[in-house]
Amino acid sequence: MERQRTARLTGLAPVILPALAILAARGMTYTDWAAANAALAALLFAWVVADSLVLATIAKAPDQRPAVRVVLGAVALAGVIIVIGAAKPVRMVIVSWPPVLAAIALTVGLYALWTAAVVIRARLAGASPEAAAELALPPKMVRFLSLELRIMHLALLGWRRGQDIPVRAQAFDYHRYLLPMIYVFLGLQLIELAVMHVLLLQWSAIAAWIWSALGAAGALWAMGLAQAFRIHPVLLTDEGLRVRSGILVDAQVPYGEIARVVPSVASEQVTARDTLNHGLLAWPNIMLELHRPIAIKPLIGAPREVVRIALRIDDSAEFLAALNRRIQA
């Protein structure tokens, strides 16, 4: 555990340390010394920003040998930060240097054109939009944006969409118990949102609208997840049990890996890390034990291996009967 924590901190260092250095340099531009020595402060700020981002790019690259385009991207980002990040007296000095502005604009433009060409080439070669976008943006950012788009699409356009049930598959719902609780939570959230908006208006209109925007985003998330639970039921397919929990989990379990149905659902098993708990906001009514661990990669969270699957199915008796028929076939 200590080794994993050390490795995680080491991996975060190329992100945290440059950010701290840039923030410290930006703070320096707001001092009286920087106002009195704006040209020197501008040079120091530019050097710290560019040096921090380039060194961080080198540290994060495999074998500390980043691609030329990646380094160019770091320099382009540094140029943008240099222009907009400093205090006003220092920033005015920077924008008064046309050669510097021209170099920054050329760097940003070259990086944008090069990256666009790489993304277009990847798409023409058959890469998915997400895989192509990861060539231009950090993979974690792409996954986050992709998740947000999927949730917003479900929240706004998923109401008339039918269930996703492949041919020859049997579907078993788990949303009938879940959706009423989500809608009650959503109603309470909207009431709280309206009350807090009115109260915050007495103090700051900006704070009130920021609060409302965040609350609206949370409400859309709840609606999107509710639609995902309805659209993606648990499936029994020809290949095995497909455990789906909206868009959060989609795991395929071959029938041959299912050892037995556990007679009772014990709390220590449900909460164990090696159990995939499918029962959201309610206690599971089915527990399956596997012959050996299988890898699960949820949409949110780290991949892990599980030896038990706890399910909450609306019609558990029919599900178990159908599962037994599939296993014995």
Side-chain angles (χ1 to χ4, degrees):
M1 183 65 70
E2 186 65 30
R3 185 176 300 173
Q4 293 178 348
R5 187 180 297 111
T6 302
R8 191 179 299 114
L9 291 175
T10 303
L12 290 174
V15 177
I16 295 175
L17 295 180
L20 293 176
I22 292 172
L23 288 174
R26 183 176 186 273
M28 176 270 298
T29 65
Y30 283 84
T31 62
D32 294 337
W33 176 87
N37 303 272
L40 180 56
L43 291 174
L44 288 173
F45 180 63
W47 173 70
V48 171
V49 172
D51 193 56
S52 298
L53 290 178
V54 171
L55 288 178
T57 301
I58 294 172
K60 290 188 293 183
D63 299 324
Q64 284 71 55
R65 298 180 64 181
V68 175
R69 184 177 64 85
V70 177
V71 176
L72 183 65
V75 175
L77 177 60
V80 173
I81 295 174
I82 289 166
V83 172
I84 67 175
K88 186 175 180 179
V90 177
R91 185 168 64 250
M92 295 305 295
V93 170
I94 295 173
V95 299
S96 68
W97 294 337
V100 173
L101 294 180
I104 292 174
L106 181 63
T107 303
V108 173
L110 180 59
Y111 174 73
L113 291 174
W114 192 348
T115 301
V118 170
V119 171
I120 293 172
R121 189 183 306 118
R123 290 290 288 142
L124 292 176
S128 67
E130 186 172 333
E134 289 182 359
L135 298 173
L137 298 171
K140 290 184 179 180
M141 179 185 295
V142 172
R143 288 192 288 271
F144 172 77
L145 294 175
S146 176
L147 173 60
E148 289 292 321
L149 289 175
R150 291 176 67 183
I151 289 292
M152 294 302 110
H153 180 269
L154 288 170
L156 299 174
L157 304 175
W159 297 92
R160 296 184 179 181
R161 181 176 168 183
Q163 288 186 304
D164 177 23
I165 305 174
V167 178
R168 295 174 54 85
Q170 292 176 270
F172 294 90
D173 294 330
Y174 53 88
H175 68 274
R176 295 174 192 165
Y177 82 93
L178 189 57
L179 262 57
M181 289 187 282
I182 292 178
Y183 291 144
V184 169
F185 168 77
L186 182 58
L188 294 174
Q189 183 181 8
L190 292 176
I191 293 172
E192 178 191 15
L193 179 63
V195 172
M196 287 298 298
H197 182 83
V198 172
L199 293 176
L200 287 173
L201 276 176
Q202 312 307 313
W203 171 60
S204 169
I206 295 177
W209 285 110
I210 291 175
W211 171 268
S212 296
L214 293 174
L220 287 173
W221 251 86
M223 288 190 288
L225 286 177
Q227 292 305 313
F229 294 141
R230 178 187 63 82
I231 293 169
H232 301 287
V234 172
L235 301 174
L236 294 179
T237 68
D238 292 340
E239 293 76 25
L241 166 65
R242 189 174 173 185
V243 182
R244 300 196 293 185
S245 183
I247 62 173
L248 302 178
V249 174
D250 190 344
Q252 187 78 27
V253 182
Y255 295 122
E257 297 296 335
I258 300 175
R260 68 187 182 105
V261 178
V262 180
S264 60
V265 181
S267 60
E268 60 271 14
Q269 291 180 330
V270 173
T271 57
R273 178 163 177 77
D274 58 359
T275 297
L276 174 60
N277 184 11
H278 173 266
L280 299 173
L281 302 179
W283 196 249
N285 53 9
I286 297 171
M287 176 76 78
L288 303 177
E289 192 172 276
L290 308 178
H291 285 295
R292 55 187 175 185
I294 63 170
I296 299 294
K297 187 178 181 181
L299 186 63
I300 300 175
R304 70 182 195 273
E305 292 189 336
V306 300
V307 295
R308 286 174 300 275
I309 298 176
L311 298 165
R312 174 72 188 199
I313 304 295
D314 291 335
D315 191 346
S316 58
E318 177 60 28
F319 171 81
L320 288 175
L323 179 62
N324 286 330
R325 289 193 297 268
R326 295 267 185 167
I327 292 175
Q328 294 171 7

